[in-house]
Amino acid sequence: MELKIVEGKEKKQKPTGALGFGKYFTDRMFVMEYENGAWGNARITPYAPFSLDPSTAVFHYAQAIFEGTKAYKNQNGEIRLFRPRDNFLRLNDSGDRVCIPPVDVDFVTDCLTKLVLMEKDWIPTEPGTALYIRPSVIATDAALGVHASKKYIFFIILSPVGAYYAHGLEPVGLYVEQEYVRASKGGTGHHKVAGNYAASLKGGEKANALGYDQVMWLDAREHKYVEEVGSMNIFFVLKGKAVTPALAGSILPGITRRSILELLRSKNIPTEERLVSIAEVIEGIESGACTEIFGTGTAAVISPVGRVGYNGKDYVINGGKMGEISRMAYDTLTGIQTGVLPDPFGWVVRIA
Ligand SMILES: *Cc1c(COP(=O)(O)O)cnc(C)c1O
């Protein structure tokens, strides 16, 4: 397929204050459409709203998927992407679950590279900042019948984002949610399907109202096993081993999760992927066997956990401070992503 470049005249003012997350967007976006059984009309075009009929499928039945990754630029102007093909492979897995046709991974990776290079002046360079990349696919049949759409729009938008932690890596408080669930086996929780996030909002608001930053989600059936935290995967350091819930059908297979597992193994830190019950976590915190808890995801990379609220009681981990393994994981992974450290894993794609 050919990639067309549509130039626009208007260029936006770049933001001057704090970037925050996902508030500003660059001048251009990538778009292509699926129609008559094939993707086509691939183009880099000025960033602009879509005009869609009110009956459009995605508005009613949430047939939509997305991805999240980042481009990093250092002071020398070098630009790097982190495992971009893995995001598009996962996009296709998510699409399969909700009947969205797959994209050509090599083609869209190439289009993303071109888009990022055209928008390179938008990539911030201060420590902790990046250009957040949001690929999405939405169903665009204009009809109310509940069925898989025959038309789709795939688009990639880019957002310069600030350091996730404005005041250094601050440990967060988690609320163990025992009423609402995020995902169940056989459902869509294993995939980046838009509707999952609507389903998670209520739990998030409840946790915030109770004074916590994020939800610790338990399994849907028994409310006994830990699954994820907010929209991050979760790790526990238990008796010196880094333990994370196994991917058993209701947990999002995070690319950061996989990278951290590979990184810890390369440093000879023992890892386990298995069921982790909330009882084991609480006992571990009380006995001192659980020395660290952290979340992993593209946005924060590593989010240390200082406090867990369970059954009306607060449990403090490591005196509420970030632990050694969390710190090493954060420094090493962000170092590789930004090119400060060498990349023995072959994760980083340098594009400029
Ligand atoms: C995106 C996401 C993650 C983290 O995935 P990364 O590839 O590491 O960014 C974890 N859990 C949920 C629910 C997510 O949506």
Side-chain angles (χ1 to χ4, degrees):
M1 203 192 318
E2 213 187 305
L3 172 66
K4 212 166 59 182
I5 311 285
V6 184
E7 279 298 344
K9 287 175 207 67
E10 310 269 317
K11 294 282 174 269
K12 282 181 225 161
Q13 199 77 28
K14 303 232 174 21
T16 46
L19 289 170
F21 181 81
K23 291 197 296 187
Y24 302 100
F25 298 94
T26 69
D27 291 316
R28 301 172 178 93
M29 61 182 183
F30 171 80
V31 184
M32 67 178 179
E33 279 129 20
Y34 186 89
E35 216 176 330
N36 301 320
W39 289 105
N41 196 14
R43 58 207 190 268
I44 289 174
T45 178
Y47 187 98
F50 295 124
S51 175
L52 295 170
D53 192 280
S55 70
T56 300
V58 67
F59 296 149
H60 302 273
Y61 311 123
Q63 196 192 358
I65 53 176
F66 68 93
E67 269 304 324
T69 181
K70 282 174 173 172
Y72 302 88
K73 184 160 86 174
N74 68 13
Q75 310 285 343
N76 305 327
E78 297 170 7
I79 303 171
R80 290 171 171 82
L81 303 176
F82 184 69
R83 310 186 83 167
R85 290 185 90 260
D86 291 9
N87 286 91
F88 290 123
L89 289 168
R90 188 172 65 185
L91 182 87
N92 281 344
D93 280 346
S94 299
D96 183 63
R97 179 63 184 79
V98 291
C99 303
I100 290 176
V103 299
D104 178 331
V105 170
D106 292 321
F107 177 70
V108 293
T109 305
D110 195 40
C111 294
L112 169 66
T113 304
K114 290 188 171 124
L115 177 65
V116 170
L117 288 175
M118 289 179 84
E119 300 294 69
K120 65 179 190 305
D121 293 346
W122 282 89
I123 314 177
T125 54
E126 293 79 54
T129 64
L131 186 71
Y132 184 78
I133 298 165
R134 169 55 58 87
S136 293
V137 187
I138 56 171
T140 54
D141 268 7
L144 290 182
V146 180
H147 55 74
S149 184
K150 291 191 170 52
K151 291 191 200 166
Y152 299 89
I153 299 176
F154 172 103
F155 58 94
I156 305 174
I157 54 176
L158 307 175
S159 173
V161 296
Y164 194 85
Y165 299 97
H167 314 283
L169 282 147
E170 276 169 60
V172 297
L174 301 185
Y175 176 72
V176 181
E177 176 55 52
Q178 299 185 73
E179 181 188 358
Y180 304 117
V181 294
R182 195 195 76 86
S184 57
K185 284 194 180 63
T188 57
H190 186 70
H191 302 290
K192 266 184 139 61
V193 164
N196 293 343
Y197 302 84
S200 75
L201 298 176
K202 188 117 177 146
E205 292 220 328
K206 180 175 159 192
N208 291 156
L210 293 167
Y212 298 90
D213 301 287
Q214 303 251 2
V215 178
M216 188 190 283
W217 298 107
L218 302 181
D219 77 281
R221 222 174 120 212
E222 297 183 79
H223 294 204
K224 194 172 155 192
Y225 299 102
V226 178
E227 301 223 312
E228 300 203 46
V229 23
S231 13
M232 288 187 278
N233 296 110
I234 189 162
F235 281 76
F236 303 92
V237 179
L238 282 160
K239 300 196 185 102
K241 284 189 191 142
V243 183
T244 190
L247 301 176
S250 52
I251 293 173
L252 201 290
I255 293 165
T256 318
R257 173 189 181 278
R258 192 178 348 136
S259 307
I260 293 294
L261 282 170
E262 291 172 40
L263 177 71
L264 295 177
R265 285 171 192 150
S266 78
K267 306 254 180 204
N268 296 318
I269 295 169
T271 62
E272 282 179 0
E273 296 175 75
R274 61 167 171 84
L275 283 174
V276 184
S277 71
I278 185 64
E280 179 184 3
V281 172
I282 297 298
E283 274 166 38
I285 299 172
E286 287 197 304
S287 72
C290 177
T291 47
E292 301 181 38
I293 303 180
F294 57 92
T296 66
T298 294
V301 186
I302 298 283
S303 181
V305 175
R307 182 169 70 103
V308 172
Y310 180 60
N311 284 342
K313 228 185 121 183
D314 261 356
Y315 298 85
V316 174
I317 303 104
N318 193 35
K321 293 192 302 292
M322 186 172 190
E324 238 172 80
I325 291 179
S326 317
R327 166 61 62 188
M328 182 280 287
Y330 180 82
D331 290 345
T332 311
L333 191 54
T334 56
I336 290 172
Q337 287 168 334
T338 54
V340 170
L341 294 177
D343 170 23
F345 304 96
W347 291 335
V348 164
V349 182
R350 182 158 163 206
I351 62 170

